[in-house]
Short mmCIF file of all heavy atoms in Angstrom, two decimals:
data_model
loop_
_atom_site.label_atom_id
_atom_site.label_comp_id
_atom_site.label_asym_id
_atom_site.label_seq_id
_atom_site.Cartn_x
_atom_site.Cartn_y
_atom_site.Cartn_z
N MET A 1 4.56 30.29 13.64
CA MET A 1 3.77 29.19 13.32
C MET A 1 4.51 28.02 12.67
O MET A 1 4.02 27.04 12.49
CB MET A 1 2.57 29.65 12.39
CG MET A 1 1.45 30.27 13.13
SD MET A 1 0.16 30.45 11.97
CE MET A 1 -0.62 31.87 12.83
N ALA A 2 5.70 28.39 12.21
CA ALA A 2 6.56 27.39 11.56
C ALA A 2 7.03 26.30 12.55
O ALA A 2 7.35 26.57 13.72
CB ALA A 2 7.73 28.04 10.93
N LYS A 3 7.06 25.15 12.14
CA LYS A 3 7.48 24.01 12.92
C LYS A 3 8.99 24.02 13.09
O LYS A 3 9.64 24.63 12.23
CB LYS A 3 7.02 22.70 12.45
CG LYS A 3 5.54 22.56 12.40
CD LYS A 3 5.04 21.21 11.83
CE LYS A 3 3.57 21.11 11.91
NZ LYS A 3 3.01 19.89 11.35
N SER A 4 9.57 23.33 14.02
CA SER A 4 10.98 23.33 14.23
C SER A 4 11.66 22.72 13.05
O SER A 4 11.13 21.87 12.37
CB SER A 4 11.30 22.60 15.48
OG SER A 4 10.93 21.24 15.40
N ALA A 5 12.92 23.05 12.80
CA ALA A 5 13.71 22.57 11.62
C ALA A 5 14.52 21.36 11.94
O ALA A 5 15.64 21.18 11.51
CB ALA A 5 14.56 23.70 11.08
N LYS A 6 14.04 20.43 12.76
CA LYS A 6 14.73 19.23 13.07
C LYS A 6 14.61 18.18 11.95
O LYS A 6 13.66 18.37 11.11
CB LYS A 6 14.22 18.55 14.43
CG LYS A 6 12.71 18.08 14.26
CD LYS A 6 12.42 17.38 15.57
CE LYS A 6 10.96 16.90 15.53
NZ LYS A 6 10.51 16.10 16.62
N ALA A 7 15.53 17.31 11.91
CA ALA A 7 15.46 16.29 10.84
C ALA A 7 14.32 15.42 10.91
O ALA A 7 13.93 15.05 12.01
CB ALA A 7 16.80 15.47 10.88
N PRO A 8 13.73 15.09 9.82
CA PRO A 8 12.61 14.15 9.79
C PRO A 8 12.97 12.78 10.30
O PRO A 8 14.11 12.34 10.17
CB PRO A 8 12.18 14.03 8.33
CG PRO A 8 12.83 15.15 7.66
CD PRO A 8 14.03 15.56 8.42
N ALA A 9 12.05 12.11 11.06
CA ALA A 9 12.40 10.77 11.62
C ALA A 9 12.48 9.69 10.58
O ALA A 9 13.33 8.78 10.70
CB ALA A 9 11.20 10.49 12.56
N SER A 10 11.64 9.72 9.51
CA SER A 10 11.65 8.64 8.52
C SER A 10 11.06 9.18 7.20
O SER A 10 10.40 10.21 7.18
CB SER A 10 10.94 7.44 9.02
OG SER A 10 9.59 7.76 9.12
N PHE A 11 11.30 8.42 6.17
CA PHE A 11 10.63 8.72 4.95
C PHE A 11 9.08 8.74 5.02
O PHE A 11 8.43 9.68 4.54
CB PHE A 11 10.97 7.69 3.84
CG PHE A 11 10.34 7.80 2.53
CD1 PHE A 11 10.80 8.68 1.57
CD2 PHE A 11 9.17 7.06 2.24
CE1 PHE A 11 10.21 8.90 0.37
CE2 PHE A 11 8.49 7.24 0.98
CZ PHE A 11 9.07 8.16 0.07
N GLU A 12 8.57 7.75 5.70
CA GLU A 12 7.12 7.66 5.86
C GLU A 12 6.54 8.86 6.63
O GLU A 12 5.55 9.45 6.26
CB GLU A 12 6.71 6.31 6.55
CG GLU A 12 7.01 5.12 5.76
CD GLU A 12 8.45 4.63 5.72
OE1 GLU A 12 9.26 5.21 6.50
OE2 GLU A 12 8.83 3.78 4.93
N SER A 13 7.21 9.25 7.74
CA SER A 13 6.68 10.36 8.50
C SER A 13 6.85 11.71 7.74
O SER A 13 5.97 12.55 7.80
CB SER A 13 7.34 10.49 9.87
OG SER A 13 8.77 10.87 9.70
N SER A 14 7.84 11.79 6.96
CA SER A 14 8.13 12.97 6.10
C SER A 14 7.00 13.02 5.12
O SER A 14 6.46 14.10 4.75
CB SER A 14 9.43 12.96 5.44
OG SER A 14 10.46 12.97 6.35
N LEU A 15 6.70 11.92 4.43
CA LEU A 15 5.66 11.95 3.41
C LEU A 15 4.28 12.32 4.03
O LEU A 15 3.50 13.03 3.43
CB LEU A 15 5.54 10.55 2.74
CG LEU A 15 4.82 10.39 1.50
CD1 LEU A 15 5.33 11.40 0.41
CD2 LEU A 15 4.89 8.99 0.98
N ALA A 16 4.04 11.75 5.23
CA ALA A 16 2.75 12.15 5.84
C ALA A 16 2.71 13.65 6.18
O ALA A 16 1.66 14.26 6.05
CB ALA A 16 2.64 11.32 7.17
N GLN A 17 3.78 14.16 6.68
CA GLN A 17 3.80 15.66 6.97
C GLN A 17 3.60 16.37 5.76
O GLN A 17 2.90 17.39 5.72
CB GLN A 17 5.22 16.00 7.62
CG GLN A 17 5.37 15.53 9.00
CD GLN A 17 6.76 15.91 9.53
OE1 GLN A 17 7.49 16.67 8.84
NE2 GLN A 17 7.11 15.41 10.75
N LEU A 18 4.21 15.97 4.64
CA LEU A 18 4.11 16.71 3.36
C LEU A 18 2.66 16.72 2.89
O LEU A 18 2.14 17.63 2.41
CB LEU A 18 5.04 16.01 2.33
CG LEU A 18 5.26 16.81 1.01
CD1 LEU A 18 5.70 18.24 1.23
CD2 LEU A 18 6.27 16.04 0.19
N GLU A 19 2.02 15.54 3.08
CA GLU A 19 0.51 15.41 2.64
C GLU A 19 -0.27 16.33 3.52
O GLU A 19 -1.17 16.99 2.99
CB GLU A 19 0.07 14.01 2.77
CG GLU A 19 0.69 13.11 1.77
CD GLU A 19 0.38 11.57 1.96
OE1 GLU A 19 -0.08 11.28 3.14
OE2 GLU A 19 0.62 10.77 1.12
N ASP A 20 0.01 16.45 4.78
CA ASP A 20 -0.66 17.37 5.73
C ASP A 20 -0.53 18.80 5.29
O ASP A 20 -1.47 19.60 5.28
CB ASP A 20 -0.26 17.17 7.11
CG ASP A 20 -0.63 15.84 7.75
OD1 ASP A 20 -1.58 15.18 7.18
OD2 ASP A 20 -0.06 15.48 8.81
N ILE A 21 0.72 19.18 4.96
CA ILE A 21 0.94 20.54 4.50
C ILE A 21 0.21 20.83 3.22
O ILE A 21 -0.42 21.92 3.09
CB ILE A 21 2.50 20.66 4.27
CG1 ILE A 21 3.23 20.68 5.63
CG2 ILE A 21 2.82 22.02 3.42
CD1 ILE A 21 4.74 20.71 5.47
N ILE A 22 0.19 19.90 2.29
CA ILE A 22 -0.53 20.12 1.02
C ILE A 22 -1.99 20.32 1.25
O ILE A 22 -2.63 21.28 0.77
CB ILE A 22 -0.31 18.96 0.08
CG1 ILE A 22 1.16 18.97 -0.45
CG2 ILE A 22 -1.25 19.04 -1.16
CD1 ILE A 22 1.62 17.72 -1.12
N GLN A 23 -2.60 19.52 2.10
CA GLN A 23 -4.01 19.60 2.44
C GLN A 23 -4.29 20.89 3.05
O GLN A 23 -5.28 21.65 2.76
CB GLN A 23 -4.49 18.49 3.42
CG GLN A 23 -4.73 17.25 2.67
CD GLN A 23 -5.32 16.21 3.69
OE1 GLN A 23 -5.04 16.19 4.86
NE2 GLN A 23 -6.17 15.34 3.23
N ALA A 24 -3.44 21.38 4.02
CA ALA A 24 -3.73 22.66 4.74
C ALA A 24 -3.55 23.87 3.73
O ALA A 24 -4.44 24.83 3.77
CB ALA A 24 -2.68 22.84 5.85
N MET A 25 -2.58 23.73 2.85
CA MET A 25 -2.36 24.87 1.84
C MET A 25 -3.51 24.91 0.84
O MET A 25 -3.95 26.01 0.45
CB MET A 25 -1.00 24.76 1.15
CG MET A 25 0.10 25.06 2.12
SD MET A 25 1.71 25.00 1.32
CE MET A 25 1.70 26.55 0.49
N GLU A 26 -4.09 23.69 0.45
CA GLU A 26 -5.12 23.62 -0.54
C GLU A 26 -6.41 24.13 0.06
O GLU A 26 -7.28 24.49 -0.72
CB GLU A 26 -5.32 22.30 -1.07
CG GLU A 26 -4.24 21.85 -2.04
CD GLU A 26 -4.29 20.47 -2.63
OE1 GLU A 26 -5.02 19.65 -2.00
OE2 GLU A 26 -3.66 20.18 -3.61
N SER A 27 -6.60 24.12 1.29
CA SER A 27 -7.78 24.61 1.95
C SER A 27 -8.08 26.04 1.79
O SER A 27 -9.14 26.51 1.73
CB SER A 27 -7.78 24.33 3.47
OG SER A 27 -6.90 25.20 4.14
N GLY A 28 -6.93 26.84 1.57
CA GLY A 28 -7.06 28.27 1.29
C GLY A 28 -7.33 29.09 2.59
O GLY A 28 -7.44 30.37 2.46
N ASP A 29 -7.35 28.43 3.72
CA ASP A 29 -7.64 29.21 5.00
C ASP A 29 -6.26 29.67 5.68
O ASP A 29 -6.36 30.20 6.82
CB ASP A 29 -8.32 28.30 5.90
CG ASP A 29 -9.70 28.02 5.25
OD1 ASP A 29 -10.33 28.78 4.55
OD2 ASP A 29 -10.29 26.92 5.69
N MET A 30 -5.17 29.44 5.07
CA MET A 30 -3.95 29.73 5.73
C MET A 30 -3.50 31.09 5.45
O MET A 30 -3.46 31.56 4.26
CB MET A 30 -2.89 28.64 5.18
CG MET A 30 -1.62 28.62 5.98
SD MET A 30 -0.47 27.38 5.34
CE MET A 30 -1.16 25.90 5.97
N PRO A 31 -3.07 31.88 6.49
CA PRO A 31 -2.53 33.19 6.35
C PRO A 31 -1.21 33.12 5.42
O PRO A 31 -0.53 32.08 5.42
CB PRO A 31 -2.19 33.71 7.71
CG PRO A 31 -2.90 32.79 8.61
CD PRO A 31 -3.09 31.50 7.88
N LEU A 32 -0.85 34.20 4.77
CA LEU A 32 0.23 34.32 3.86
C LEU A 32 1.59 33.86 4.57
O LEU A 32 2.35 33.02 4.10
CB LEU A 32 0.37 35.66 3.32
CG LEU A 32 1.63 35.82 2.35
CD1 LEU A 32 1.47 34.87 1.14
CD2 LEU A 32 1.65 37.24 1.86
N ASP A 33 1.85 34.35 5.75
CA ASP A 33 3.09 33.94 6.42
C ASP A 33 3.12 32.47 6.75
O ASP A 33 4.14 31.91 6.57
CB ASP A 33 3.15 34.86 7.76
CG ASP A 33 3.60 36.28 7.46
OD1 ASP A 33 4.01 36.60 6.44
OD2 ASP A 33 3.34 37.08 8.46
N ALA A 34 2.06 31.98 7.21
CA ALA A 34 2.00 30.55 7.53
C ALA A 34 2.11 29.72 6.24
O ALA A 34 2.72 28.67 6.21
CB ALA A 34 0.71 30.18 8.22
N ALA A 35 1.57 30.20 5.17
CA ALA A 35 1.55 29.48 3.84
C ALA A 35 3.09 29.44 3.38
O ALA A 35 3.59 28.41 2.93
CB ALA A 35 0.69 30.12 2.86
N LEU A 36 3.80 30.51 3.50
CA LEU A 36 5.24 30.64 3.11
C LEU A 36 6.09 29.71 4.00
O LEU A 36 6.93 29.03 3.48
CB LEU A 36 5.71 32.06 3.15
CG LEU A 36 5.12 33.01 2.05
CD1 LEU A 36 5.56 34.48 2.36
CD2 LEU A 36 5.60 32.59 0.77
N ALA A 37 5.74 29.70 5.24
CA ALA A 37 6.58 28.83 6.20
C ALA A 37 6.31 27.35 5.83
O ALA A 37 7.13 26.50 5.82
CB ALA A 37 6.22 29.13 7.68
N SER A 38 5.09 27.10 5.58
CA SER A 38 4.62 25.70 5.21
C SER A 38 5.22 25.33 3.89
O SER A 38 5.73 24.13 3.71
CB SER A 38 3.17 25.57 5.16
OG SER A 38 2.56 25.79 6.43
N TYR A 39 5.29 26.14 2.95
CA TYR A 39 5.89 25.92 1.62
C TYR A 39 7.41 25.61 1.82
O TYR A 39 7.86 24.58 1.25
CB TYR A 39 5.66 27.12 0.71
CG TYR A 39 6.31 26.86 -0.67
CD1 TYR A 39 5.55 26.18 -1.61
CD2 TYR A 39 7.58 27.28 -1.02
CE1 TYR A 39 6.01 25.97 -2.85
CE2 TYR A 39 8.07 27.04 -2.27
CZ TYR A 39 7.26 26.47 -3.24
OH TYR A 39 7.72 26.17 -4.49
N LYS A 40 8.06 26.40 2.65
CA LYS A 40 9.50 26.16 2.94
C LYS A 40 9.64 24.83 3.59
O LYS A 40 10.64 24.01 3.21
CB LYS A 40 10.02 27.23 3.79
CG LYS A 40 11.50 27.13 4.06
CD LYS A 40 11.99 28.26 4.93
CE LYS A 40 13.49 28.09 5.22
NZ LYS A 40 14.04 29.12 6.07
N GLN A 41 8.87 24.54 4.56
CA GLN A 41 8.94 23.21 5.23
C GLN A 41 8.61 22.02 4.20
O GLN A 41 9.37 20.99 4.25
CB GLN A 41 8.02 23.13 6.40
CG GLN A 41 8.11 21.79 7.09
CD GLN A 41 7.05 21.65 8.23
OE1 GLN A 41 6.10 22.40 8.29
NE2 GLN A 41 7.27 20.66 9.08
N GLY A 42 7.70 22.26 3.34
CA GLY A 42 7.41 21.28 2.32
C GLY A 42 8.49 20.94 1.40
O GLY A 42 8.76 19.81 1.06
N ILE A 43 9.29 22.02 0.99
CA ILE A 43 10.36 21.93 0.12
C ILE A 43 11.43 21.04 0.83
O ILE A 43 12.09 20.15 0.24
CB ILE A 43 10.95 23.28 -0.29
CG1 ILE A 43 9.96 23.96 -1.16
CG2 ILE A 43 12.34 23.12 -0.97
CD1 ILE A 43 9.66 23.32 -2.56
N GLU A 44 11.75 21.36 2.05
CA GLU A 44 12.71 20.63 2.89
C GLU A 44 12.33 19.08 2.93
O GLU A 44 13.12 18.19 2.86
CB GLU A 44 12.98 21.17 4.16
CG GLU A 44 13.61 22.59 4.14
CD GLU A 44 14.95 22.55 3.45
OE1 GLU A 44 15.74 21.64 3.72
OE2 GLU A 44 15.12 23.50 2.68
N LEU A 45 11.07 18.87 3.26
CA LEU A 45 10.56 17.45 3.37
C LEU A 45 10.68 16.81 1.98
O LEU A 45 11.07 15.59 1.94
CB LEU A 45 9.14 17.47 3.83
CG LEU A 45 8.84 17.88 5.31
CD1 LEU A 45 7.40 18.08 5.64
CD2 LEU A 45 9.46 16.74 6.19
N MET A 46 10.37 17.47 0.93
CA MET A 46 10.47 16.91 -0.38
C MET A 46 11.92 16.50 -0.69
O MET A 46 12.18 15.42 -1.17
CB MET A 46 9.98 17.86 -1.47
CG MET A 46 9.94 17.30 -2.89
SD MET A 46 9.41 18.47 -4.09
CE MET A 46 10.75 19.59 -4.09
N LYS A 47 12.89 17.42 -0.39
CA LYS A 47 14.37 17.11 -0.58
C LYS A 47 14.70 15.91 0.28
O LYS A 47 15.49 15.09 -0.23
CB LYS A 47 15.11 18.30 -0.17
CG LYS A 47 14.97 19.47 -1.25
CD LYS A 47 15.87 20.67 -0.73
CE LYS A 47 15.73 21.85 -1.64
NZ LYS A 47 16.54 22.96 -1.21
N PHE A 48 14.29 15.78 1.46
CA PHE A 48 14.59 14.70 2.26
C PHE A 48 14.07 13.38 1.74
O PHE A 48 14.80 12.38 1.61
CB PHE A 48 13.98 14.86 3.74
CG PHE A 48 14.16 13.71 4.68
CD1 PHE A 48 15.45 13.52 5.29
CD2 PHE A 48 13.23 12.74 4.81
CE1 PHE A 48 15.60 12.42 6.09
CE2 PHE A 48 13.35 11.64 5.61
CZ PHE A 48 14.58 11.55 6.34
N CYS A 49 12.82 13.40 1.26
CA CYS A 49 12.18 12.20 0.63
C CYS A 49 12.96 11.81 -0.63
O CYS A 49 13.26 10.64 -0.92
CB CYS A 49 10.78 12.41 0.35
SG CYS A 49 9.78 12.43 1.83
N GLN A 50 13.37 12.83 -1.48
CA GLN A 50 14.10 12.50 -2.71
C GLN A 50 15.42 11.92 -2.41
O GLN A 50 15.84 10.96 -3.07
CB GLN A 50 14.26 13.75 -3.47
CG GLN A 50 13.00 14.26 -4.21
CD GLN A 50 13.09 15.56 -4.92
OE1 GLN A 50 13.87 16.44 -4.59
NE2 GLN A 50 12.21 15.77 -5.87
N ALA A 51 16.11 12.39 -1.32
CA ALA A 51 17.42 11.79 -0.91
C ALA A 51 17.20 10.43 -0.53
O ALA A 51 18.11 9.56 -0.81
CB ALA A 51 18.03 12.71 0.08
N LYS A 52 16.16 10.14 0.30
CA LYS A 52 15.95 8.79 0.80
C LYS A 52 15.71 7.86 -0.36
O LYS A 52 16.16 6.73 -0.39
CB LYS A 52 14.80 8.76 1.78
CG LYS A 52 15.09 9.26 3.18
CD LYS A 52 16.09 8.40 3.87
CE LYS A 52 16.18 8.72 5.32
NZ LYS A 52 17.11 7.83 6.01
N LEU A 53 14.92 8.27 -1.35
CA LEU A 53 14.62 7.43 -2.52
C LEU A 53 15.83 7.19 -3.31
O LEU A 53 16.11 6.05 -3.75
CB LEU A 53 13.53 8.11 -3.30
CG LEU A 53 12.13 8.00 -2.78
CD1 LEU A 53 11.14 8.84 -3.61
CD2 LEU A 53 11.54 6.61 -2.66
N ALA A 54 16.70 8.23 -3.46
CA ALA A 54 17.86 8.05 -4.30
C ALA A 54 18.83 7.10 -3.60
O ALA A 54 19.46 6.25 -4.18
CB ALA A 54 18.62 9.36 -4.47
N ASP A 55 18.96 7.15 -2.21
CA ASP A 55 19.71 6.23 -1.45
C ASP A 55 19.26 4.85 -1.60
O ASP A 55 20.03 3.93 -1.76
CB ASP A 55 19.75 6.67 -0.01
CG ASP A 55 20.72 5.85 0.83
OD1 ASP A 55 21.85 5.68 0.46
OD2 ASP A 55 20.26 5.34 1.94
N ALA A 56 17.94 4.58 -1.53
CA ALA A 56 17.37 3.28 -1.65
C ALA A 56 17.64 2.74 -3.10
O ALA A 56 17.98 1.53 -3.19
CB ALA A 56 15.79 3.30 -1.52
N GLU A 57 17.56 3.58 -4.07
CA GLU A 57 17.83 3.12 -5.46
C GLU A 57 19.35 2.76 -5.60
O GLU A 57 19.56 1.72 -6.19
CB GLU A 57 17.49 4.30 -6.39
CG GLU A 57 17.66 3.86 -7.85
CD GLU A 57 17.19 4.94 -8.84
OE1 GLU A 57 16.84 6.03 -8.40
OE2 GLU A 57 17.44 4.67 -10.10
N GLN A 58 20.21 3.46 -4.98
CA GLN A 58 21.64 3.11 -5.04
C GLN A 58 21.87 1.83 -4.32
O GLN A 58 22.57 1.00 -4.84
CB GLN A 58 22.47 4.28 -4.36
CG GLN A 58 23.88 3.99 -4.31
CD GLN A 58 24.52 3.76 -5.71
OE1 GLN A 58 24.07 4.39 -6.73
NE2 GLN A 58 25.46 3.00 -5.92
N GLN A 59 21.23 1.60 -3.22
CA GLN A 59 21.35 0.30 -2.48
C GLN A 59 20.80 -0.84 -3.40
O GLN A 59 21.42 -1.96 -3.41
CB GLN A 59 20.59 0.40 -1.23
CG GLN A 59 21.25 1.21 -0.20
CD GLN A 59 20.51 1.24 1.15
OE1 GLN A 59 20.03 0.24 1.58
NE2 GLN A 59 20.47 2.39 1.86
N LEU A 60 19.85 -0.64 -4.12
CA LEU A 60 19.21 -1.66 -5.03
C LEU A 60 20.21 -1.96 -6.15
O LEU A 60 20.41 -3.07 -6.50
CB LEU A 60 17.82 -1.21 -5.59
CG LEU A 60 16.73 -1.30 -4.64
CD1 LEU A 60 15.48 -0.69 -5.31
CD2 LEU A 60 16.43 -2.76 -4.22
N ARG A 61 20.82 -0.92 -6.65
CA ARG A 61 21.84 -1.06 -7.69
C ARG A 61 22.99 -1.93 -7.21
O ARG A 61 23.43 -2.83 -7.95
CB ARG A 61 22.37 0.22 -8.17
CG ARG A 61 21.48 0.99 -9.11
CD ARG A 61 22.14 2.18 -9.78
NE ARG A 61 21.26 2.80 -10.68
CZ ARG A 61 20.80 4.06 -10.54
NH1 ARG A 61 21.21 4.79 -9.56
NH2 ARG A 61 19.99 4.59 -11.44
N VAL A 62 23.42 -1.64 -5.97
CA VAL A 62 24.50 -2.46 -5.47
C VAL A 62 24.01 -3.92 -5.27
O VAL A 62 24.75 -4.89 -5.70
CB VAL A 62 24.90 -1.92 -4.06
CG1 VAL A 62 25.89 -2.82 -3.35
CG2 VAL A 62 25.61 -0.51 -4.31
N LEU A 63 22.86 -4.15 -4.74
CA LEU A 63 22.35 -5.50 -4.53
C LEU A 63 22.20 -6.29 -5.89
O LEU A 63 22.24 -7.42 -5.94
CB LEU A 63 20.98 -5.43 -3.85
CG LEU A 63 21.16 -4.99 -2.30
CD1 LEU A 63 19.73 -4.85 -1.70
CD2 LEU A 63 21.97 -6.03 -1.52
N GLU A 64 21.78 -5.47 -6.91
CA GLU A 64 21.60 -5.99 -8.20
C GLU A 64 22.81 -6.03 -9.16
O GLU A 64 22.70 -6.15 -10.44
CB GLU A 64 20.37 -5.37 -8.97
CG GLU A 64 19.09 -5.56 -8.22
CD GLU A 64 18.48 -7.01 -8.25
OE1 GLU A 64 18.77 -7.63 -9.27
OE2 GLU A 64 17.81 -7.34 -7.34
N ASN A 65 23.93 -5.83 -8.58
CA ASN A 65 25.21 -5.77 -9.30
C ASN A 65 25.19 -4.68 -10.43
O ASN A 65 25.69 -4.92 -11.49
CB ASN A 65 25.63 -7.12 -9.88
CG ASN A 65 25.86 -8.15 -8.88
OD1 ASN A 65 26.43 -7.84 -7.80
ND2 ASN A 65 25.38 -9.35 -9.03
N GLY A 66 24.69 -3.57 -10.12
CA GLY A 66 24.67 -2.46 -11.05
C GLY A 66 23.57 -2.44 -12.07
O GLY A 66 23.49 -1.53 -12.87
N GLU A 67 22.64 -3.39 -12.02
CA GLU A 67 21.54 -3.43 -12.95
C GLU A 67 20.28 -3.53 -12.26
O GLU A 67 19.95 -4.45 -11.53
CB GLU A 67 21.68 -4.67 -13.89
CG GLU A 67 22.86 -4.61 -14.84
CD GLU A 67 22.87 -5.77 -15.78
OE1 GLU A 67 21.79 -6.29 -16.12
OE2 GLU A 67 23.96 -6.18 -16.14
N LEU A 68 19.31 -2.54 -12.45
CA LEU A 68 18.01 -2.68 -11.90
C LEU A 68 17.27 -3.43 -12.91
O LEU A 68 17.27 -3.26 -14.12
CB LEU A 68 17.44 -1.26 -11.78
CG LEU A 68 17.93 -0.47 -10.56
CD1 LEU A 68 17.21 0.99 -10.58
CD2 LEU A 68 17.66 -1.16 -9.35
N THR A 69 16.51 -4.44 -12.37
CA THR A 69 15.69 -5.34 -13.26
C THR A 69 14.20 -4.99 -12.95
O THR A 69 13.82 -4.62 -11.89
CB THR A 69 15.96 -6.79 -12.93
OG1 THR A 69 15.70 -6.98 -11.56
CG2 THR A 69 17.32 -7.15 -13.31
N PRO A 70 13.34 -5.17 -13.91
CA PRO A 70 11.85 -4.94 -13.79
C PRO A 70 11.30 -5.97 -12.75
O PRO A 70 11.82 -7.06 -12.74
CB PRO A 70 11.35 -5.13 -15.14
CG PRO A 70 12.48 -5.18 -16.13
CD PRO A 70 13.64 -5.49 -15.30
N LEU A 71 10.46 -5.47 -11.96
CA LEU A 71 9.75 -6.33 -11.04
C LEU A 71 8.62 -7.05 -11.71
O LEU A 71 7.81 -6.53 -12.36
CB LEU A 71 9.19 -5.46 -9.91
CG LEU A 71 8.44 -6.14 -8.78
CD1 LEU A 71 9.44 -7.15 -8.05
CD2 LEU A 71 7.81 -5.26 -7.86
N ASP A 72 8.71 -8.38 -11.66
CA ASP A 72 7.69 -9.26 -12.24
C ASP A 72 6.74 -9.72 -11.15
O ASP A 72 7.07 -10.54 -10.33
CB ASP A 72 8.43 -10.45 -12.87
CG ASP A 72 7.35 -11.41 -13.56
OD1 ASP A 72 6.21 -10.94 -13.79
OD2 ASP A 72 7.73 -12.52 -13.84
N ILE A 73 5.54 -9.15 -11.16
CA ILE A 73 4.51 -9.54 -10.15
C ILE A 73 3.39 -10.36 -10.85
O ILE A 73 2.34 -10.44 -10.28
CB ILE A 73 3.99 -8.33 -9.38
CG1 ILE A 73 3.47 -7.27 -10.34
CG2 ILE A 73 5.14 -7.68 -8.55
CD1 ILE A 73 2.72 -6.16 -9.64
N SER A 74 3.64 -10.82 -12.00
CA SER A 74 2.55 -11.46 -12.72
C SER A 74 2.27 -12.86 -12.24
O SER A 74 1.19 -13.43 -12.48
CB SER A 74 2.82 -11.51 -14.25
OG SER A 74 4.09 -12.29 -14.44
N HIS A 75 3.18 -13.46 -11.44
CA HIS A 75 2.91 -14.81 -11.03
C HIS A 75 2.09 -14.84 -9.82
O HIS A 75 2.07 -13.89 -9.03
CB HIS A 75 4.36 -15.49 -10.70
CG HIS A 75 5.09 -14.84 -9.53
ND1 HIS A 75 5.81 -13.66 -9.71
CD2 HIS A 75 5.23 -15.13 -8.23
CE1 HIS A 75 6.33 -13.31 -8.60
NE2 HIS A 75 5.91 -14.16 -7.68
N GLU A 76 1.27 -15.85 -9.63
CA GLU A 76 0.32 -16.00 -8.56
C GLU A 76 1.07 -16.65 -7.36
O GLU A 76 1.99 -17.48 -7.55
CB GLU A 76 -0.79 -16.83 -8.87
CG GLU A 76 -1.72 -16.22 -9.91
CD GLU A 76 -2.99 -16.94 -10.30
OE1 GLU A 76 -3.52 -17.62 -9.29
OE2 GLU A 76 -3.43 -16.88 -11.36
N GLN A 77 0.72 -16.25 -6.12
CA GLN A 77 1.35 -16.81 -4.95
C GLN A 77 0.49 -17.97 -4.46
O GLN A 77 -0.58 -18.02 -4.43
CB GLN A 77 1.48 -15.77 -3.91
CG GLN A 77 2.46 -14.65 -4.36
CD GLN A 77 2.55 -13.59 -3.28
OE1 GLN A 77 1.89 -13.60 -2.21
NE2 GLN A 77 3.51 -12.70 -3.47
#
């Protein structure tokens, strides 16, 4: 029942898959073997998402010359 172990297409698709796994596991209707396989897949998706976020943060640091600055959204457009 486990899905294939191919690399996720994107951060957004990985996050959507992770949300689906969480919903399915929270339903309580999943057999133990499927729950374990889903848990393993969820861990891999979480690691992928964390790596993508870390990469994006590093790119921001480079763009901001090593300093992340707070985002000011208080001004009206």
Side-chain angles (χ1 to χ4, degrees):
M1 280 188 206
K3 294 181 182 177
S4 64
K6 65 179 184 174
S10 68
F11 175 83
E12 293 79 9
S13 67
S14 296
L15 195 56
Q17 287 178 8
L18 192 53
E19 289 171 349
D20 290 344
I21 289 170
I22 291 168
Q23 280 185 331
M25 291 183 78
E26 285 179 342
S27 74
D29 296 333
M30 192 178 282
L32 180 59
D33 288 340
L36 289 172
S38 293
Y39 184 83
K40 182 178 177 183
Q41 182 185 13
I43 293 295
E44 293 302 316
L45 290 167
M46 184 183 68
K47 288 178 183 178
F48 176 81
C49 289
Q50 288 174 332
K52 285 290 193 181
L53 288 173
D55 185 48
E57 185 176 358
Q58 179 61 31
Q59 289 180 37
L60 286 172
R61 282 192 179 116
V62 169
L63 292 172
E64 296 291 331
N65 295 321
E67 291 183 32
L68 285 178
T69 56
L71 179 62
D72 180 16
I73 57 172
S74 62
H75 64 281
E76 294 185 32
Q77 293 180 354

